[in-house]
Amino acid sequence: MGYSYLYTGQELASYGFPGDHPFSTDRHDYFLNGVKEKEFFKNIERRLPVKAEPEEIGYFHSEKYVNAIKEYSRYGGARLDSGDTVAFPGIYEAGATVVGTALEATRKILKGSAKNAMVPIGGLHHAFRERASGFCVFNDCAVVIDFLLQEEELKQVLYVDIDAHHGDGVFYSFAADPRVINIDFHQRGIFPGTGDTSEQGSGPAEGTKLNVPLKAGATDDDFLNKWSQAKQFIQQFSPEFIILQCGADSLSGDPLTWLNLSSKVHRQVARDLLDLARGLQDLLHCFKT
């Protein structure tokens, strides 16, 4: 069924902040050069970015907020949160491209054209419905989740986040929604300072969320021990779509975080979730026949 899609292009690369900002536009080309060096293009199909329409961003964000970002985008300079996220000229178009590309990848998977897809510039998990946060203007992860729930009427979506920072914009926006199974690994005590183990969902969603804060200096063994427990947690559910936010800032040497993880962790999580997705797809085919 389908190919593995990788979405790259300068429109996507334009989401980044100027100067020596840790979230710069250089990230795209560094990633792309790494893919070329490893000759991964032999096994994947490269696809171009797609810009979202305002109403698509509106699956998650309010119309008022979307219009405000459009206005800030004309000239730049405005502080969109407490100081981390500053508007640059064209920030609306860049953010809309991140969202549109994530939605395009999702639709291709749903149609069977792609068996899985990766958007390397994305995972903007800090943005809330009406505010920016932590370098994130539009929350592409949350837009995709709301698209799947609202338009596709899926009964259960699994969201796994292994970025070093807690994905608060996703977690709290769906904290009371039992259809969203949320597993979040992150470093304890850094921005945004949320994601305690006691936070397991609220109301009808209690028990559908799993927060796994890691101590500074946590190793692959520390992570994979907890990941084994997370896989058992997943077995309680039957997700129809899986989203992985695999932020690279949890890798050793990141200038803003202090985890001591290697790419082994990202590889293992991705493989396990791909295996889970294949198993669920086989099960769905059984139900259809």
Side-chain angles (χ1 to χ4, degrees), residues 158 234 237-242 273-287:
L158 172 61
I234 293 172
F237 308 102
S238 300
E240 298 170 273
F241 200 94
I242 301 171
L273 293 179
L274 286 171
D275 287 344
L276 174 60
R278 281 190 286 268
L280 292 170
Q281 189 62 46
D282 290 342
L283 185 61
L284 288 172
H285 283 314
C286 289
F287 286 146

Side-chain angles (χ1 to χ4, degrees), residues 133-144:
S133 178
F135 316 151
C136 304
V137 176
F138 295 138
N139 192 325
D140 53 314
C141 303
V143 170
V144 167

Side-chain angles (χ1 to χ4, degrees), residues 87-105:
F88 56 84
I91 194 171
Y92 170 80
E93 289 75 15
T97 300
V98 173
V99 170
T101 304
L103 284 171
E104 175 71 5

Side-chain angles (χ1 to χ4, degrees), residues 6 31 34-45:
L6 173 65
F31 170 82
V35 171
K36 290 176 180 176
E37 288 177 6
K38 298 294 184 180
E39 299 184 341
F40 288 143
F41 282 127
K42 292 180 179 179
N43 303 311
I44 58 179
E45 183 172 325

Side-chain angles (χ1 to χ4, degrees), residues 136-263:
C136 304
V137 176
F138 295 138
N139 192 325
D140 53 314
C141 303
V143 170
V144 167
I145 291 171
D146 263 338
F147 165 75
L148 291 169
L149 298 178
Q150 296 171 25
E151 291 296 316
E152 298 299 322
E153 299 182 344
L154 297 194
K155 293 180 174 61
Q156 231 171 54
V157 175
L158 172 61
Y159 174 79
V160 178
D161 191 324
I162 60 173
D163 189 288
H165 300 90
H166 183 239
D168 54 337
V170 176
F171 184 87
Y172 296 111
S173 297
F174 299 100
D177 194 329
R179 298 171 296 176
V180 181
I181 313 307
N182 192 318
I183 298 175
D184 198 306
F185 283 74
H186 49 276
Q187 183 182 327
R188 180 186 291 114
I190 62 172
F191 178 88
T194 54
D196 188 78
T197 54
S198 63
E199 298 180 90
Q200 301 175 5
S202 58
E206 185 174 356
T208 63
K209 324 297 178 191
L210 180 66
N211 277 302
V212 187
L214 300 170
K215 63 182 180 181
T219 64
D220 289 357
D221 288 342
D222 295 326
F223 182 102
L224 293 173
N225 179 54
K226 297 290 187 180
W227 176 242
S228 178
Q229 298 173 37
K231 288 194 292 182
Q232 295 179 16
F233 177 81
I234 293 172
Q235 291 176 5
Q236 305 174 68
F237 308 102
S238 300
E240 298 170 273
F241 200 94
I242 301 171
I243 301 167
L244 170 61
Q245 203 281 20
C246 51
D249 59 3
S250 56
L251 297 174
S252 178
D254 186 272
L256 299 182
T257 65
W258 299 273
L259 295 177
N260 194 27
L261 306 182
S262 75
S263 58

